[in-house]
Amino acid sequence: MSWQFSFPDVHSRWEFPQLERQLIMQSEMRERQMAMQIAWSREFLKYFGTFFGLAAISLTAGAIKKKKPAFLVPIVPLSFILTYQYDLGYGTLLERMKGEAEDILETEKSKLQLPRGMITFESIEKARKEQSKFFIDK
């Protein structure tokens, strides 16, 4: 009695779980990177918030003491940065960015196309061979 098995059947039974593990791993890595970005933004907000508070108090005191309201001008751009960082760390900025990205994927697909189209094995091999010829010639 000889062993007979279908190669595609064995291959697909092995390939699907491996692909599934790779997808889960990529998702985990993306989630961790996003968590680190949010944590960084929250940490940055603490330091920048302190700087902004001290700058606002100092500039306001200087504007009152010198009677020059121009001292208050730097507060405007600093407040935009503070608001952006707060929105990124604690607000809905990431959800809005996700929604915008989904809209781009659905309605502006042509803007996502790579120059010369999708990278293929053949194009990689061609570039590799050209590069190896370059090094052999020298």
Side-chain angles (χ1 to χ4, degrees):
M1 179 177 214
S2 66
W3 253 127
Q4 290 189 347
F5 63 92
S6 168
F7 180 74
D9 186 44
V10 171
H11 184 66
S12 64
R13 273 191 260 149
W14 176 81
E15 189 176 75
F16 182 75
Q18 183 176 355
L19 179 60
E20 191 175 30
R21 281 191 294 274
Q22 288 175 348
L23 291 172
I24 291 170
M25 183 181 69
Q26 287 177 350
S27 179
E28 284 279 328
M29 289 174 60
R30 185 191 59 77
E31 287 176 359
R32 290 177 185 193
Q33 289 172 343
M34 291 298 295
M36 284 297 294
Q37 180 182 359
I38 294 168
W40 181 90
S41 180
R42 289 178 179 178
E43 192 65 25
F44 179 80
L45 182 64
K46 292 174 190 173
Y47 289 99
F48 189 77
T50 303
F51 166 74
F52 178 81
L54 291 172
I57 290 170
S58 300
L59 291 169
T60 303
I64 292 170
K65 187 175 181 180
K66 301 279 185 179
K67 296 185 181 181
K68 291 185 178 179
F71 280 127
L72 298 174
V73 172
I75 293 176
V76 175
L78 293 175
S79 66
F80 279 104
I81 297 169
L82 182 69
T83 303
Y84 173 81
Q85 288 299 325
Y86 179 83
D87 198 16
L88 182 60
Y90 296 101
T92 60
L93 179 62
L94 291 177
E95 285 87 12
R96 293 192 317 267
M97 289 171 59
K98 181 181 171 190
E100 186 67 27
E102 288 173 354
D103 286 344
I104 291 168
L105 288 170
E106 289 177 15
T107 61
E108 301 177 43
K109 201 79 159 159
S110 64
K111 292 184 180 177
L112 304 175
Q113 300 300 319
L114 293 172
R116 298 185 183 173
M118 185 70 119
I119 297 172
T120 63
F121 178 76
E122 290 79 21
S123 66
I124 293 171
E125 281 298 300
K126 182 181 175 186
R128 184 186 65 79
K129 287 177 183 177
E130 288 174 4
Q131 188 176 18
S132 67
K133 284 180 188 176
F134 176 76
F135 287 118
I136 290 172
D137 291 342
K138 286 197 170 202

